[in-house]
Amino acid sequence: EAGVTQFPSHSVIEKGQTVTLRCDPISGHDNLYWYRRVMGKEIKFLLHFVKESKQDESGMPNNRFLAERTGGTYSTLKVQPAELEDSGVYFCASSQDSPGDGNTIYFGEGSWLTVV
Amino acid sequence: SQQGEEDPQALSIQEGENATMNCSYKTSINNLQWYRQNSGRGLVHLILIRSNEREKHSGRLRVTLDTSKKSSSLLITASRAADTASYFCATVETSGSRLTFGEGTQLTVNP
């Protein structure tokens, strides 16, 4: 079974440019999450999809970030325009059911973003 | 305030020694999970312990949970150089639907 896959694995862009990160969850997983770790700090929650609906987007830092999950399969996270402080690693994760039921959330390898 | 604070922030030991990392949290939880991140890689799920459990084992890993103190510990026995990584605890709050991570402990195992 394929795991959570993310693309690109690494991206270097200039301040002000746009970057779109893609995540393919494990097939059949309705729950999809985006997290990020900036500058070696804690891993912070960004948002949670259940199928195509945004269940919780309270962690999105500002309106430069836009996440979509059309059709309830893969998801994209767009940063426009990118700022220096957006540099970090963006993790996508998926789970079949809620982690509150003790279900494991599976993480991808991350998309490492550097804004210069 | 931070949910899931790890202690210590960094730990350096010799191969073969045991490593203990602690995690504290602030809210009522459904379960607590430990993850590992090797340098430049993704997060790997290590172990999950539910709020009604006190201890759990998986190979060389031993996790304890004390809900009265809102704390957990991860013990890695007979450490190996390959255990060098960042270790994170993450909590799922009661009726929550997401993981909340701490800042992690950077473990270095010297050969």
Side-chain angles (χ1 to χ4, degrees), chain B residues 13-86:
Chain B
I13 60 174
Q14 294 300 121
E15 211 166 22
E17 294 182 337
N18 295 341
T20 300
M21 289 160 272
N22 302 296
C23 167
S24 61
Y25 58 92
K26 292 178 168 46
T27 63
S28 295
I29 64 170
N30 178 288
N31 63 74
L32 184 146
Q33 305 183 31
W34 284 89
Y35 284 81
R36 182 186 74 222
Q37 184 190 11
N38 290 80
S39 180
R41 304 298 303 274
L43 287 164
V44 175
H45 182 262
L46 295 176
I47 196 165
L48 178 153
I49 186 165
R50 298 174 190 269
S51 60
N52 61 354
E53 298 176 312
R54 292 296 167 259
E55 188 172 311
K56 207 160 183 182
H57 296 254
S58 177
R60 293 184 295 112
L61 305 181
R62 173 178 169 254
V63 169
T64 63
L65 179 64
D66 187 336
T67 53
S68 66
K69 295 180 179 179
K70 289 185 166 57
S71 67
S72 173
S73 68
L74 171 67
L75 168 67
I76 303 174
T77 60
S79 64
R80 305 166 183 168
D83 294 329
T84 294
S86 292

Side-chain angles (χ1 to χ4, degrees), chain B residues 2-19:
Chain B
Q2 177 86 354
Q3 177 87 331
E5 299 182 7
E6 277 91 347
D7 167 49
Q9 290 189 331
L11 179 62
S12 181
I13 60 174
Q14 294 300 121
E15 211 166 22
E17 294 182 337
N18 295 341

Side-chain angles (χ1 to χ4, degrees), chain A residues 16-36:
Chain A
Q17 289 186 322
T18 298
V19 63
T20 300
L21 311 177
R22 172 173 169 142
C23 169
D24 286 81
I26 293 173
S27 178
H29 282 193
D30 288 339
N31 294 276
L32 187 149
Y33 306 82
W34 284 98
Y35 287 81
R36 75 171 179 175

Side-chain angles (χ1 to χ4, degrees), chain A residues 11-110:
Chain A
S11 182
V12 180
I13 62 172
E14 292 184 349
K15 175 182 173 181
Q17 289 186 322
T18 298
V19 63
T20 300
L21 311 177
R22 172 173 169 142
C23 169
D24 286 81
I26 293 173
S27 178
H29 282 193
D30 288 339
N31 294 276
L32 187 149
Y33 306 82
W34 284 98
Y35 287 81
R36 75 171 179 175
R37 187 181 187 202
V38 173
M39 293 296 290
K41 293 187 180 295
E42 72 268 29
I43 301 167
K44 284 195 170 181
F45 168 82
L46 295 179
L47 88 161
H48 170 206
F49 284 100
V50 177
K51 296 184 180 179
E52 68 274 10
S53 299
K54 292 177 184 175
Q55 179 80 6
D56 180 357
E57 54 183 327
S58 61
M60 295 289 266
N62 51 61
N63 59 9
R64 295 185 296 102
F65 289 76
L66 174 65
E68 295 180 321
R69 193 184 183 194
T70 307
T73 53
Y74 71 92
S75 174
T76 57
L77 178 64
K78 180 190 290 187
V79 185
Q80 178 184 31
E83 298 289 344
L84 299 178
E85 62 265 26
D86 300 331
S87 296
V89 56
Y90 290 77
F91 291 110
C92 178
S94 73
S95 67
Q96 187 165 22
D97 294 302
S98 170
D101 297 326
N103 293 287
T104 299
I105 297 182
Y106 297 90
F107 282 78
E109 292 284 304

